[in-house]
Amino acid sequence: MVISPMVGTPAHEAGILAGDIIVKVDDKSTDTLRHNDMIRMIQGEPGTKVTLSVVHDGTRQPEAITVVRAKIEVPTVLGLHRLPENLKEFDWFADQENHIGYIRVIQFTEHTADDIKKAVDHLESEGMRALIVDLRDNPGGLLTSAIAVSDLFLDGGRIVSTKDRNEGGRSWDAKADGYPYESAEKRPMVVLINKNSASASEIVAAALQDNKRAVVVGERSFGKGSVQKILKLGGDPPTALKLTTDTYWRPSGVNMHRYPDSKENDDWGVKPTPGFEIVMKDDERLEYLRYKRNKDIIRNDKAKEPDKPFVDRAMVKAVEYLKGEVKK
């Protein structure tokens, strides 16, 4: 399953969607393939092609999509949409009249916290009064990045803890001298999540929710709260072992990982703030994913854009809430 294609990558622009099931790589069925063997078949030299047969979330028939391989260099922080007059720049406001800013975090890398700080600084200079942070379809990334991003918006409090099988582990707290972004009373925030928000994105959403810094809008997140460590084994070619050693725990002390036997009413993932749940049906989710992908691709041919506008109910809910907070 594709948890989330990264924006700007060949797979994303070719039409691979979050939740897709890859059933064939070229003419080879994935039924009998090991995960790493499938990855090796998908990867290759830049400029070469691979055809992936996928079943989209909410459909039954596979679709063959040809992807042109390329070196992956992806920005991690995007705005609402690209400006028509300058496609390299973004519109960073979800609601210009009420000065509600918007940033979308694609994944968590070494430079994500710096990229967010630059975006927020820009929004502040333009008079931002509230902020939406969109973590939908964010598959996660580095723990250090999730901690740094959380610390941008918190002046204290627990961010996340880890526990091993013997209840050992460590914790990370926000620093008072982090990034002095104003409090929830002065700069209200919303975090958008959905069922494909995983790992580091869940750490950030939980940290801001538990510390009452942000309201969480959308769907329950994926529940990927396991910690892997890489053990280098040496050899020629070099080999390594990825070992799951710990699980992530929210500031409130609640488990985040969804185990194979976890039930719907168990504690895992991040749930929306009560009253802010926006659950999508399969057809709406497929429409949303296509809308988002089409919006992200830089097109010269405007005729390729869909005629029917998509109503993003989670975004509407977020803007409505923040408009009320701004008026207060």
Side-chain angles (χ1 to χ4, degrees), residues 114-303:
D114 288 338
D115 291 345
I116 290 176
K117 188 177 184 303
K118 290 176 184 176
V120 173
D121 285 343
H122 169 73
L123 284 163
E124 290 272 343
S125 71
E126 296 290 321
M128 177 183 65
R129 300 179 66 191
L131 177 64
I132 297 171
V133 177
D134 193 344
L135 301 180
R136 290 176 293 181
D137 301 312
N138 183 317
L142 299 176
L143 171 61
T144 52
S145 179
I147 293 168
V149 169
S150 301
D151 203 12
L152 291 180
F153 302 106
L154 297 172
D155 58 6
R158 180 63 40 89
I159 294 175
V160 69
S161 302
T162 60
K163 291 184 182 179
D164 61 26
R165 64 192 304 174
N166 298 314
E167 296 296 316
R170 61 170 299 187
S171 301
W172 290 265
D173 295 328
K175 302 183 296 293
D177 61 347
Y179 179 52
Y181 187 62
E182 291 187 283
S183 65
E185 291 75 19
K186 295 182 179 179
R187 291 288 189 276
M189 279 180 65
V190 162
V191 175
L192 298 177
I193 62 171
N194 64 6
K195 71 174 189 176
N196 296 315
S197 303
S199 189
S201 59
E202 294 177 283
I203 290 172
V204 173
L208 299 183
Q209 185 181 50
D210 285 357
N211 285 285
K212 295 181 170 46
R213 182 61 192 85
V215 165
V216 175
V217 176
E219 299 175 299
R220 190 179 198 173
S221 61
F222 186 83
K224 199 277 184 185
S226 60
V227 184
Q228 286 82 38
K229 293 183 179 177
I230 305 296
L231 307 177
K232 296 181 180 179
L233 303 178
D236 186 19
T239 58
L241 175 67
K242 180 189 286 186
L243 190 65
T244 300
T245 58
D246 303 82
T247 51
Y248 294 126
W249 292 72
R250 300 172 61 123
S252 59
V254 175
N255 166 63
M256 281 203 292
H257 189 61
R258 179 178 57 175
Y259 295 94
D261 60 349
S262 291
K263 305 295 189 297
E264 192 65 26
N265 58 352
D266 291 339
D267 288 324
W268 54 265
V270 179
K271 294 180 181 178
T273 301
F276 291 88
E277 185 176 20
I278 305 292
V279 178
M280 285 186 170
K281 295 182 179 180
D282 287 341
D283 55 348
E284 183 184 12
R285 187 184 311 282
L286 188 59
E287 188 180 353
Y288 159 71
L289 292 168
R290 285 176 170 152
Y291 153 79
K292 189 180 70 168
R293 179 177 62 86
N294 286 332
K295 182 165 66 71
D296 289 334
I297 296 175
I298 300 174
R299 297 185 185 277
N300 293 321
D301 184 0
K302 297 298 180 182

Side-chain angles (χ1 to χ4, degrees), residues 6-11 44-48 68-75:
M6 291 180 287
V7 173
T9 61
E45 290 297 315
T48 60
V68 180
R69 298 180 177 103
K71 184 179 178 180
I72 307 300
E73 295 178 353
V74 184

Side-chain angles (χ1 to χ4, degrees), residues 1-188:
M1 175 185 286
V2 178
I3 294 178
S4 176
M6 291 180 287
V7 173
T9 61
H12 177 266
E13 298 205 1
I16 303 296
L17 304 174
D20 281 355
I21 304 296
I22 302 174
V23 295
K24 281 186 180 181
V25 179
D26 289 327
D27 295 323
K28 179 73 173 178
S29 171
T30 60
D31 280 349
T32 58
L33 284 179
R34 293 170 62 89
H35 187 259
N36 288 340
D37 292 335
M38 184 183 68
I39 290 174
R40 279 191 283 270
M41 290 179 65
I42 293 174
Q43 293 176 339
E45 290 297 315
T48 60
K49 297 180 180 180
V50 60
T51 299
L52 305 179
S53 296
V54 301
V55 177
H56 297 306
D57 193 10
T59 66
R60 293 178 178 272
Q61 294 300 318
E63 177 184 355
I65 298 176
T66 299
V67 180
V68 180
R69 298 180 177 103
K71 184 179 178 180
I72 307 300
E73 295 178 353
V74 184
T76 63
V77 178
L78 307 178
L80 186 66
H81 55 75
R82 298 182 187 274
L83 297 176
E85 63 274 16
N86 184 359
L87 294 176
K88 292 184 179 180
E89 299 294 333
F90 285 97
D91 179 358
W92 295 97
F93 281 94
D95 185 316
Q96 188 76 50
E97 181 181 350
N98 292 282
H99 302 282
I100 299 172
Y102 173 90
I103 57 176
R104 179 149 60 96
V105 185
I106 305 305
Q107 59 178 326
F108 289 88
T109 68
E110 294 92 341
H111 56 82
T112 300
D114 288 338
D115 291 345
I116 290 176
K117 188 177 184 303
K118 290 176 184 176
V120 173
D121 285 343
H122 169 73
L123 284 163
E124 290 272 343
S125 71
E126 296 290 321
M128 177 183 65
R129 300 179 66 191
L131 177 64
I132 297 171
V133 177
D134 193 344
L135 301 180
R136 290 176 293 181
D137 301 312
N138 183 317
L142 299 176
L143 171 61
T144 52
S145 179
I147 293 168
V149 169
S150 301
D151 203 12
L152 291 180
F153 302 106
L154 297 172
D155 58 6
R158 180 63 40 89
I159 294 175
V160 69
S161 302
T162 60
K163 291 184 182 179
D164 61 26
R165 64 192 304 174
N166 298 314
E167 296 296 316
R170 61 170 299 187
S171 301
W172 290 265
D173 295 328
K175 302 183 296 293
D177 61 347
Y179 179 52
Y181 187 62
E182 291 187 283
S183 65
E185 291 75 19
K186 295 182 179 179
R187 291 288 189 276

